[in-house]
Amino acid sequence: MSQSILDKIWSAHEILSRDGSSLVFVDRHLLHEGSHHAFAKIGEAGRKVRHPELTFGVADHYAPSSELRANAASATMIERLSVNTARHGIESFGLGDARRGIVHVAMPEQGLSLPGTIIVCGDSHTATHGAFGAFAFGIGASEVAHVLATQALWQKKPPLMKITVTGGLPFGTTAKDLALHIIATIGTGGATGHAVEYAGEAIAALSMEGRMTLCNMTIEMGARSGIVPPDETTFAWLKGRPMAPKGAAFEAAVESWKALRSDDGAAYAREVVIDAGEVAPMVTWGTSPEQVAPVTGEVPSVDPDALDYMGLSAGEALSTINIDRGFIGSCTNGRYSDLLAAARVLKGRRLAVPLLVSPGSSDVARQAEETGIAEIFREAGAEWGESGCSLCVGMNGDQVRPGERCASTSNRNFRGRQGPGARTHLMSPAMVAAAAVSGHIVDVRAIDLADLPEPVSAPDVHLEA
Amino acid sequence: MQPFTTVSGPGVVLARDNIDTDQLIPARFMKRTRAEGYGDQLLYDLRFDEDGDPVEGFPLNQMSERPVLMLAGRNFGCGSSREAAVYALVDHGIRVVVADSFADIFRGNAGKNGLLTIALGAAERGRLAKFLEPRPGENAPAEVFVDLDAQEISAEGLGTIAFDIDKGLKRRLLLGLDDLSETLEDEPTIAAFEERYFAAAPWVVPRGA
Ligand code: SF4
């Protein structure tokens, strides 16, 4: 019988099934500061962590992007993670570790996200790791405790939805714009309960970083997970990563990964076809990622509540909206190629409003220093911060003030996400840079871009602690 | 986990779609331990203004008694996987959320904390909303009765609304069972699986192969 990539991953991981649910084995369990509830739960019962060698922690949500905004409460959260992981023999990247970064940036960099694996983390954007052909999804604290103790999880196999993206992305558009375009097309509930398999030439053409951005945003369609079947791009990216298999083991793994494609005739619960050629630079105007339009559009006359919160009126052109600040970072758009795209806009220009940059990981920061990109940001007047979740979520000292309007590369424009009363406009890194030099939302396609060298490829990274 | 059999009490209507977990419990409040409780922070930025005063007209602020049921629109609980969103509801006294649809992770978290999530169609939600609306001249809020075993919401003046629920989840909720203690009984099966699995794909263990 024809099998989908999800069927193949599922059957390789199913330990037993009962009551219509399966107990599936977990290959990678990723932790951050939010895991303290789960540690408390297993602690109360005196349970041990079953596979500490398959479990990795990193401080990201509460990591301060600047000494100036560090606070005691966040430091306590970071300390709790190191105490809990140390007690259970789990390797964790704390402040000062060269491997530290946002969990969905740092773990793939280490070569921990592998094709065909099941990856979980107490964070909804775990979907990011599906870019490697893994089945990766976010779980809650009770499930984190369950995985710590058993290395397994009760799950129902989700129905599979296929999103085929034909053609190529036009000039000035990125994986972020594609993700927002898909959300605009199918809605934030468009893939609820499904796993999404991506297919089509536009997906094949995406870099690993672009695939991570797209799978990351898949959660905003309501999906549990996004999956891109692995190909040569995937294998090349993984080769030589510190914790990826090496030598003959790598070659053997690649052989088995090549079988991770959906068979002809595999069944899908839903299929959607998207024409990449129709994607334009996208900007959100409301308080949900589905409230989004091309930058050439205007604020529509729907959801008065959202418009009131955002301080906008129907009919306003998106490109005339003034912004108070910009943010470049997050697990959606905090990778080297994201910073590079923004730097192409910033080179030789000065900011009109404050811009905070928080590289997705210490290694991204290191690369950016080495290639001179970091200097371009500083010369333009941007604040070059430490890596972490930073202004994606108002919980680590970074916040947008009430009523302030922020052009942001993050993934959620929810009410209060960046701080109480904060108004968030989601867009791509180059669009944020363009808005930050203009003082208002602007179409990046109208801006001359500097010629800067392409990203450094995988084997050039050096990531030991 | 507290077993869920029947619950009765007032209901509150939050006529909005996409109530995300950042709204249910803003991120800046998540440093508490479970024992400290999250009930006072439920929907904090919608319930309270910048000075910490209750926002007039917000449904939860109009209740003379804490509700046991919340009725909302589409895509309830979307966003961050934080289980604290469920803690906030449960600690506030809410045992049932009725919505058009729920985000996956939220729904899973709810089931593990004795919070019943019920998806209903527009017509039934409309009936329930009408029933729960504050009535002029009446001080006490309308009360509903939720019976998990019978899979029914009922009240005088409302009649009965039937709902669906996953079989396994229903059993665990009724008995107040914790997945983890059940799974640990399957430890030998897990161990046997692992032996086969690691032999077939040794490269799965980082630095192990
Ligand atoms: S960057 Fe934002 S979305 Fe990503 S893990 Fe951190 S808080 Fe979550």
Side-chain angles (χ1 to χ4, degrees):
Chain A
M1 218 184 83
S2 300
Q3 284 193 309
S4 68
I5 179 168
L6 180 64
D7 295 331
K8 293 178 187 182
I9 297 175
W10 197 268
S11 60
H13 289 81
E14 188 173 58
I15 300 167
L16 61 96
S17 66
R18 189 180 292 150
D19 272 349
S21 289
S22 304
L23 184 65
V24 295
F25 181 74
V26 170
D27 302 274
R28 292 285 181 272
H29 187 194
L30 312 177
L31 304 171
H32 55 82
E33 303 94 314
S35 51
H36 66 99
H37 287 297
F39 278 111
K41 258 178 219 229
I42 64 162
E44 277 161 28
R47 300 193 207 289
K48 290 210 303 211
V49 174
R50 186 172 176 87
H51 282 296
E53 81 286 10
L54 302 179
T55 312
F56 293 86
V58 65
D60 57 2
H61 284 68
Y62 291 91
S65 67
S66 156
E67 284 289 331
L68 300 173
R69 294 182 294 269
N71 62 62
S74 292
T76 307
M77 296 296 288
I78 293 170
E79 178 61 15
R80 252 188 238 168
L81 174 71
S82 32
V83 169
N84 281 323
T85 47
R87 181 177 297 152
H88 291 278
I90 296 166
E91 195 168 351
S92 185
F93 314 150
L95 294 187
D97 192 309
R99 300 165 297 177
R100 197 186 61 78
I102 304 168
V103 60
H104 312 308
V105 179
M107 299 301 178
E109 266 172 8
Q110 287 299 314
L112 283 167
S113 311
L114 300 177
T117 56
I118 289 188
I119 303 176
V120 301
C121 171
D123 187 282
S124 56
H125 289 99
T126 308
T128 311
H129 309 261
F132 294 87
F135 180 45
F137 51 94
I139 56 179
S142 299
E143 291 178 312
V144 170
H146 192 279
V147 179
L148 285 173
T150 66
Q151 201 61 31
L153 197 57
W154 287 100
Q155 288 285 304
K156 276 186 197 315
K157 181 157 64 169
L160 188 60
M161 174 168 169
K162 186 179 191 177
I163 299 184
T164 306
V165 188
T166 59
L169 284 171
F171 168 76
T173 65
T174 64
K176 177 66 160 289
D177 302 295
L178 172 60
L180 289 170
H181 176 86
I182 298 174
I183 296 168
T185 311
I186 68 172
T188 45
T192 297
H194 289 68
V196 171
E197 178 185 337
Y198 288 102
E201 60 259 38
I203 304 298
L206 285 178
S207 66
M208 281 319 297
E209 302 200 338
R211 292 177 192 184
M212 283 190 258
T213 301
L214 179 61
C215 287
N216 174 283
M217 292 291 291
T218 307
I219 181 79
E220 311 308 333
M221 304 165 197
R224 194 177 305 178
S225 186
I227 307 178
V228 178
D231 58 13
E232 290 305 326
T233 305
T234 322
F235 309 146
W237 200 91
L238 285 170
K239 193 169 182 173
R241 300 262 157 194
M243 290 198 238
K246 304 248 158 49
F250 184 77
E251 300 311 321
V254 168
E255 275 319 299
S256 67
W257 294 340
K258 284 182 178 162
L260 289 169
R261 349 207 88 248
S262 293
D263 300 333
D264 292 340
Y268 295 94
R270 271 189 77 192
E271 293 196 49
V272 172
V273 178
I274 302 277
D275 177 0
E278 285 176 8
V279 176
M282 302 292 279
V283 176
T284 63
W285 49 263
T287 56
S288 159
E290 68 188 356
Q291 295 180 327
V292 64
V295 62
T296 47
E298 51 187 46
V299 178
S301 58
V302 293
D303 199 345
D305 252 12
L307 294 189
D308 182 49
Y309 180 85
M310 292 299 292
L312 296 172
S313 350
E316 263 180 81
L318 290 176
S319 61
T320 59
I321 298 172
N322 289 330
I323 61 157
D324 300 303
R325 58 179 61 251
F327 170 63
I328 296 179
S330 88
C331 59
T332 309
N333 279 137
R335 298 186 180 80
Y336 184 82
S337 57
D338 298 316
L339 302 191
L340 179 73
R344 286 193 167 124
V345 174
L346 293 180
K347 190 163 165 70
R349 294 194 171 91
R350 286 290 301 174
L351 295 176
V353 298
L355 172 68
L356 172 62
V357 188
S358 175
S361 71
S362 301
D363 197 65
V364 168
R366 180 194 58 75
Q367 286 182 64
E369 291 291 355
E370 281 179 14
T371 58
I373 301 259
E375 198 48 36
I376 296 176
F377 279 96
R378 286 190 289 257
E379 270 170 15
E383 181 184 353
W384 180 259
E386 289 289 322
S387 96
C389 294
S390 185
L391 208 45
C392 171
V393 61
M395 67 200 285
N396 45 48
D398 292 352
Q399 283 197 348
V400 171
R401 282 191 281 273
E404 264 188 355
R405 194 178 292 291
C406 180
S408 178
T409 66
S410 52
N411 42 52
R412 287 182 175 146
N413 51 343
F414 297 165
R415 286 162 203 262
R417 170 80 179 181
Q418 295 189 298
R423 294 164 169 162
T424 305
H425 293 274
L426 303 176
M427 56 193 88
S428 76
M431 283 285 287
V432 169
V437 293
S438 311
H440 59 87
I441 295 171
V442 68
D443 190 337
V444 68
R445 292 172 297 190
I447 291 189
D448 287 332
L449 303 179
D451 202 13
L452 293 172
E454 280 303 313
V456 207
S457 63
D460 293 333
V461 298
H462 45 83
L463 296 148
E464 302 299 337
Chain B
M1 182 171 105
Q2 188 184 0
F4 191 114
T5 48
T6 63
V7 156
S8 64
V12 64
V13 184
L14 216 55
R16 289 174 190 240
D17 293 331
N18 296 315
I19 295 178
D20 55 74
T21 54
D22 275 86
Q23 290 180 71
L24 288 167
I25 179 87
R28 62 185 190 280
F29 292 140
M30 287 185 13
K31 299 180 187 93
R32 287 189 181 181
T33 62
R34 187 69 193 88
E36 288 170 274
Y38 286 83
D40 52 330
Q41 297 170 333
L42 173 68
L43 292 162
Y44 192 91
D45 291 339
L46 290 174
R47 268 163 77 199
F48 301 102
D49 64 18
E50 271 171 56
D51 305 321
D53 296 323
V55 173
E56 225 180 289
F58 186 68
L60 271 181
N61 295 340
Q62 292 175 308
M63 303 291 292
S64 54
E65 263 174 74
R66 284 194 170 194
V68 300
L69 178 144
M70 180 178 281
L71 173 63
R74 193 168 56 83
N75 203 23
F76 188 91
C78 59
S80 155
S81 61
R82 62 188 72 160
E83 199 158 305
V86 174
Y87 304 157
L89 287 161
V90 171
D91 292 353
H92 197 270
I94 290 175
R95 303 292 313 279
V96 185
V97 180
V98 178
D100 169 78
S101 56
F102 293 91
D104 245 16
I105 303 177
F106 175 85
R107 207 162 196 190
N109 291 340
K112 298 197 164 50
N113 290 279
L115 176 69
L116 178 61
T117 51
I118 300 176
L120 286 182
E124 284 138 323
R125 275 184 300 118
R127 248 172 79 200
L128 190 56
K130 196 139 183 268
F131 176 75
L132 292 174
E133 250 168 40
R135 271 158 275 192
E138 273 183 52
N139 280 329
E143 301 210 347
V144 289
F145 179 71
V146 181
D147 184 337
L148 175 56
D149 193 38
Q151 298 183 211
E152 279 174 3
I153 305 172
S154 59
E156 219 186 287
L158 169 73
T160 299
I161 296 174
F163 61 86
D164 283 334
I165 180 168
D166 174 79
K167 242 178 47 204
L169 177 61
K170 177 176 175 178
R171 182 178 66 86
R172 282 196 297 276
L173 281 173
L174 283 171
L175 300 174
L177 281 181
D178 161 22
D179 291 5
L180 179 51
S181 34
E182 276 199 289
T183 310
L184 288 169
E185 291 177 17
D186 293 314
E187 201 281 331
T189 318
I190 299 175
F193 171 89
E194 286 177 350
E195 213 179 298
R196 289 194 309 273
Y197 187 79
F198 289 132
W203 47 263
V204 161
V205 183
R207 301 185 173 126

